[in-house]
Amino acid sequence: MQQPCLKVNEIFYSIQGEGPHTGMPAVFVRLAGCSMGCEFCDTRYAFAQGEDMTVAQILAAMSQYPCHNVVITGGEPTEQDFASLASALKKQAWNVHMETNGAQDADVSDIDFLVVSPKKYVNQEMLKKAHAIKIVVGQQTDLEDLKKYFQYANDRTTVCLQPESNLQENIDLCVNLIKQNPFLRLSLQTHKMANIK
Ligand code: SF4
């Protein structure tokens, strides 16, 4: 039977720079394509460029790294058949993390740690499945509107605020909100500060 193909923008080994697992070494599998079209997107290069790879080819490319943490990211992974990849990774005992905008509901049963970062719209079911909700906060953010996500903060779900583009005014906004709502957490894009991929 022919194996499913995914369009892969890049596979690289680095350190998770943001969110609750900041500092964790991981192999990143960036799937190509995203239809959300956010103005502040910092992975536009992944929208169209990519190589068709079977799951077996992806696993082979990952096997050169001395690490069993993987972050499936994009682009937007749920716009492709990420589930085939996640299932194969679980069979090889990878610790599988995934980052999604959560726009469409998806079967994430093979994902060990799901980060949903809501953008223009988000599916409620995906928010309920999230281990972390990461909200990008900038000057254009409707602060009252984002409070609807706060209800998902519990022992299982961390809600992080991430200043858009690490700008100081956005950091200040996040810090103020977190101090008023101490269940929130700050997520900085430390990989950009450290100048690593
Ligand atoms: S959802 Fe994410 S990947 Fe897609 S356009 Fe927005 S920031 Fe970029």
Side-chain angles (χ1 to χ4, degrees):
M1 197 174 75
Q2 204 178 6
Q3 279 216 335
C5 260
L6 291 100
K7 194 167 188 179
V8 179
N9 175 264
E10 57 181 349
I11 297 172
F12 61 97
Y13 184 39
S14 189
I15 305 283
Q16 173 61 281
E18 57 193 54
H21 286 88
T22 296
M24 177 188 77
V27 180
F28 290 76
V29 178
R30 188 181 304 289
L31 300 182
C34 178
S35 56
M36 186 68 80
C38 306
E39 284 156 21
F40 56 79
C41 182
D42 56 5
T43 54
R44 286 173 189 276
Y45 62 89
F47 286 180
Q49 296 164 16
E51 179 187 345
D52 287 335
M53 297 177 77
T54 63
V55 168
Q57 287 171 328
I58 297 170
L59 293 178
M62 297 168 69
S63 66
Q64 66 183 294
Y65 301 114
C67 176
H68 250 55
N69 304 316
V70 54
V71 179
I72 304 173
T73 186
E76 174 46 49
T78 62
E79 293 186 14
Q80 296 200 49
D81 181 15
F82 75 91
S84 298
L85 175 60
S87 166
L89 286 162
K90 280 313 294 172
K91 285 186 186 127
Q92 290 195 357
W94 283 80
N95 173 30
V96 184
H97 292 217
M98 186 167 86
E99 311 228 350
T100 172
N101 60 27
Q104 56 180 326
D105 193 17
D107 177 0
V108 291
S109 49
D110 284 320
I111 305 296
D112 296 300
F113 197 86
L114 180 71
V115 179
V116 174
S117 185
K119 299 296 181 330
K120 295 174 187 171
Y121 49 89
V122 66
N123 183 292
Q124 290 262 330
E125 295 309 309
M126 286 297 269
L127 284 175
K128 289 178 195 162
K129 293 173 192 173
H131 299 92
I133 298 171
K134 191 172 63 186
I135 307 165
V136 178
V137 176
Q139 301 299 316
Q140 308 304 319
T141 305
D142 182 333
L143 298 185
E144 285 308 309
D145 190 47
L146 75 76
K147 286 181 181 167
K148 65 179 181 245
Y149 302 121
F150 292 2
Q151 63 182 297
Y152 295 95
N154 55 45
D155 289 347
R156 185 180 172 277
T157 312
T158 306
V159 179
C160 304
L161 302 186
Q162 182 163 293
E164 184 183 323
S165 306
N166 279 348
L167 293 178
Q168 189 60 51
E169 58 261 41
N170 298 334
I171 294 173
D172 292 345
L173 257 180
C174 289
V175 168
N176 281 337
L177 272 166
I178 292 166
K179 285 163 87 174
Q180 289 164 28
N181 303 277
F183 52 85
L184 295 171
R185 296 292 178 268
L186 181 66
S187 169
L188 294 173
Q189 292 184 296
T190 60
H191 52 297
K192 292 185 179 173
M193 298 171 182
N195 200 24
I196 56 174
K197 192 166 175 65

